Amino acid sequence: MTSPAPFAAIILAAGMGTRMRSARHKVLHRIAGKPMLLHLMDAVDALAPAEKVVVVGAGRDQVEAAVAGRAKIAVQSEQLGTAHAVRMAEDALAGFEGDVVVLYGDTPLVKAETVARMLDRLHAEDAPVAVVLGFRPADPLAYGRIIADTDGRIAEMVEFRDATAEERAVTLCNSGLIAARAADLWPLLARIGNANAAGEYYLPDVVTLAAAEGRACVVIETEAAEVAGINSRAELAALEAAWQARRRAEAMAAGATLLAPETVWFAHDTIIGRDVTIGQNVVFGPGAAIADDVTIHAFCHIEGATVATGAIVGPYARLRPGAELGEGVHVGNFVEVKKARLGKGAKANHLTYIGDATIGAGSNIGAGTITCNYDGFNKSLTEVGEGAFIGSNTALVAPVKVGDGAITAAGSVITRDVPADALAVARGRQEERPGWAARFREKMRASKAR
Ligand code: UD1
Ligand code: MG
């Protein structure tokens, strides 16, 4: 995807977002496990912008840390409105003469295609001064309204607080996104005042000023779900739900079976292969990649893990970061895997913790096996070879190695390496005392009777 001319993106993120009632800056709240601001930066980056500026103010340390050098930073120390915020980016863009697109940090799911469409429209034959991205939400709430003719030529933009009843009845709303040439934008911004209900410098006034002079500004429209703004936790949850619904539909369209789609939760980067079956109430955290023909039964939590073809996971399994399940691996109920590689065909079907380990192909890990990987100070490695059989309720005290084909007896506490093909028994030896139980009961009954 390309833009018609070099462009700069300005992302406004100076307002703290008080309606979130959070110590965390609004644009750092997450959708599908990724901060809103990074959703926007990724979308913009897909168009290879010449410049990127994030305008920060309230909570700037948090925002700058999240930007992590991916964009220039401009500071708006007092939040005097969106137009004022954009002006704060002018110095950072000194000498830049291309197009400028302004995005709002709290409108995070804008698609790169849509930004490209705005820039294309800016370069259409009629060369408008500005292109505004509009939408028609089911409930227009307190969004700013766009007063435009049927060709999309804008007469005026009005904030909800300043709008008349007639203007409020208009269903075309302002997403906040606007594109203009640098040469038009900066002089218009300098003329904007704050004589309005909020006493703020409104960015949409750029359009109203230009339109009043007969210079064409136009609106193009997009779907409401793409540009819903987030001002509260409830709106955050609603957008997350919309994102999840879209992702589930994509997963099914790409060949996955979701037994109860509305209960499956994806992360922004989840990769799902073909003919994958996902049961009810499965949650993916960031960094999960599931290959073709995998079955994930109900109630699994999977994050930072890769699962190879033909594997069967769950129900009730937890795959944590660094879990790598090889081809055809079985990981069953109440099994937790962290930073561990299970080779082709290995099985751990019940009640097990495998952390900081490698398990060779074809090995069987018995119920209740635990890798004791942490001594309170260090993490140590457990290495199980191929075709090994770890008996039920084995504690593998790391660092420790169990060789290929070795067997550990059930209930063993393995503290030393086990050679290939050996049996390791490390538990109290059983002893039987004939008649002892009967004599014991007799004695106890007699003492009770007294
Ligand atoms: C804004 C628009 C409104 C539009 C809506 C879409 C204005 C005046 N209003 O209203 O027309 O329908 O978005 O969601 O533009 N910000 C700053 N500095 C400031 C003020 C805001 O950086 O001084 C940033 C905020 O952090 C936020 C974005 O700009 O990311 C929008 O600000 P917000 O206060 O949420 O504006 P809305 O009331 O939603
Ligand atoms: Mg907003």
Side-chain angles (χ1 to χ4, degrees):
M1 231 181 303
T2 50
S3 56
F7 80 103
I10 300 176
I11 300 177
L12 301 190
M16 185 66 187
T18 43
R19 285 170 278 177
M20 295 297 280
R21 304 211 185 286
S22 177
R24 178 184 291 191
H25 194 286
K26 173 159 76 172
V27 301
L28 302 183
H29 282 263
R30 289 163 191 269
I31 290 175
K34 179 159 86 173
M36 287 184 219
L37 180 64
L38 300 191
H39 278 277
L40 265 181
M41 300 216 342
D42 288 349
V44 165
D45 278 348
L47 297 170
E51 296 282 357
K52 252 184 316 187
V53 183
V54 177
V55 180
V56 302
R60 60 174 284 196
D61 294 349
Q62 293 179 21
V63 180
E64 281 192 59
V67 170
R70 283 178 64 187
K72 290 182 175 166
I73 298 286
V75 180
Q76 184 195 29
S77 36
E78 252 189 305
Q79 281 70 63
L80 302 179
T82 46
H84 181 259
V86 176
R87 283 190 80 179
M88 298 300 109
E90 189 172 354
D91 283 350
L93 294 179
F96 177 77
E97 287 173 355
D99 304 335
V100 177
V101 182
V102 179
L103 303 98
Y104 287 0
D106 69 349
T107 305
L109 297 186
V110 174
K111 293 183 187 142
E113 298 94 278
T114 306
V115 174
R117 208 148 57 80
M118 292 175 71
L119 291 168
D120 284 340
R121 182 68 188 85
L122 191 65
H123 288 272
E125 231 166 89
D126 60 343
V129 171
V131 178
V132 170
L133 184 64
F135 67 115
R136 296 181 194 271
D139 182 352
L141 302 166
Y143 286 113
R145 303 297 204 264
I146 302 173
I147 318 298
D149 66 19
T150 46
D151 293 335
R153 195 175 160 129
I154 303 174
E156 199 188 341
M157 291 184 64
V158 53
E159 285 304 293
F160 181 79
R161 286 175 70 172
D162 303 296
T164 62
E166 199 187 337
E167 287 164 339
R168 287 181 181 184
V170 169
T171 56
L172 184 57
C173 292
N174 175 25
S175 70
L177 272 78
I178 185 169
R181 289 165 193 77
D184 290 321
L185 181 66
W186 305 122
L188 282 167
L189 278 175
R191 289 168 50 201
I192 290 175
N194 65 350
N196 52 52
E200 285 185 7
Y201 298 87
Y202 291 160
L203 180 59
D205 282 358
V206 161
V207 173
T208 304
L209 281 178
E213 293 168 352
R215 302 168 71 193
C217 293
V218 299
V219 54
I220 63 169
E221 295 187 35
T222 195
E223 277 174 34
E226 186 185 349
V227 288
I230 294 178
N231 299 295
S232 65
R233 307 265 184 170
E235 286 171 358
L236 179 67
L239 205 59
E240 175 81 44
W243 189 95
Q244 293 293 341
R246 200 171 69 204
R247 183 66 186 89
R248 290 167 193 139
E250 276 171 19
M252 291 187 283
T257 294
L258 273 51
L259 298 182
E262 64 286 1
T263 67
V264 176
W265 217 251
F266 291 103
H268 62 96
D269 59 354
T270 308
I271 296 168
I272 304 284
R274 268 163 65 113
D275 291 315
V276 168
T277 298
I278 303 175
Q280 299 82 349
N281 297 293
V282 171
V283 175
F284 293 96
I290 311 299
D292 296 346
D293 299 309
V294 167
T295 298
I296 300 170
H297 292 298
F299 300 105
C300 290
H301 192 281
I302 298 175
E303 176 172 354
T306 58
V307 180
T309 308
I312 300 176
V313 180
Y316 297 101
R318 178 164 183 213
L319 305 183
R320 291 173 52 203
E324 291 175 38
L325 309 194
E327 223 176 283
V329 161
H330 291 192
V331 164
N333 40 263
F334 308 107
V335 172
E336 174 180 346
V337 182
K338 185 220 70 164
K339 207 173 171 193
R341 197 169 62 239
L342 275 65
K344 185 173 178 176
K347 292 181 185 167
N349 271 328
H350 333 267
L351 302 160
T352 283
Y353 172 62
I354 301 175
D356 301 297
T358 57
I359 308 294
S363 284
N364 187 87
I365 309 297
T369 295
I370 302 289
T371 54
C372 308
N373 60 325
Y374 185 51
D375 58 13
F377 297 93
N378 297 304
K379 303 270 169 71
S380 302
L381 192 65
T382 299
E383 294 167 82
V384 175
E386 295 188 2
F389 185 96
I390 306 300
S392 294
N393 206 29
T394 295
L396 297 161
V397 182
V400 71
K401 291 182 190 169
V402 177
D404 292 347
I407 295 176
T408 68
S412 289
V413 177
I414 302 295
T415 56
R416 290 198 309 266
D417 290 356
V418 181
D421 293 321
L423 166 69
V425 188
R427 63 185 186 210
R429 186 177 286 277
Q430 182 170 325
E431 119 188 25
E432 298 83 36
R433 299 177 189 180
W436 188 95
R439 288 197 299 279
F440 169 74
R441 278 193 298 274
E442 190 55 35
K443 194 170 102 194
M444 295 313 276
R445 277 195 205 104
S447 72
K448 273 276 183 193
R450 248 187 271 128

